[in-house]
Amino acid sequence: QGDHMNNPIKQNRWLTPKDVVQEYGISINTQAKYRMRGLIPFSKINKIIRYDRTKLDEWFEYHAIEIKR
């Protein structure tokens, strides 16, 4: 049993798809669909996909739904 599963992921700027599953709850398949549709911000070098934590946070903020009271 790895200790890394019990500790929060250190605040790396660049996240792997697996990191995004753990931190944001977006499955690998959904990430792929969103990338193909141009819905989620990401960087790609050859076959390596990374997500910028700052841009993901901004993306979530942009899509926030305001609750009417």
Side-chain angles (χ1 to χ4, degrees):
Q1 302 219 344
D3 286 336
H4 69 279
M5 296 305 283
N6 299 328
N7 298 331
I9 295 171
K10 63 181 180 180
Q11 294 285 329
N12 289 333
R13 176 178 170 187
W14 295 101
L15 303 173
T16 66
K18 286 183 182 177
D19 293 336
V20 173
V21 171
Q22 290 182 323
E23 292 197 41
Y24 293 89
I26 303 172
S27 74
I28 299 284
N29 287 340
T30 299
Q31 291 176 44
K33 288 176 191 168
Y34 286 2
R35 288 194 310 269
M36 284 187 275
R37 295 180 191 160
L39 298 177
I40 194 169
F42 71 99
S43 295
K44 185 175 180 181
I45 300 172
N46 294 325
K47 294 182 178 180
I48 298 171
I49 292 166
R50 293 291 181 270
Y51 297 93
D52 182 333
R53 177 189 304 280
T54 305
K55 289 191 174 158
L56 279 183
D57 288 344
E58 289 170 358
W59 182 66
F60 271 96
E61 290 288 335
Y62 178 80
H63 288 91
I65 296 169
E66 298 297 324
I67 306 290
K68 292 188 168 68
R69 296 181 184 213

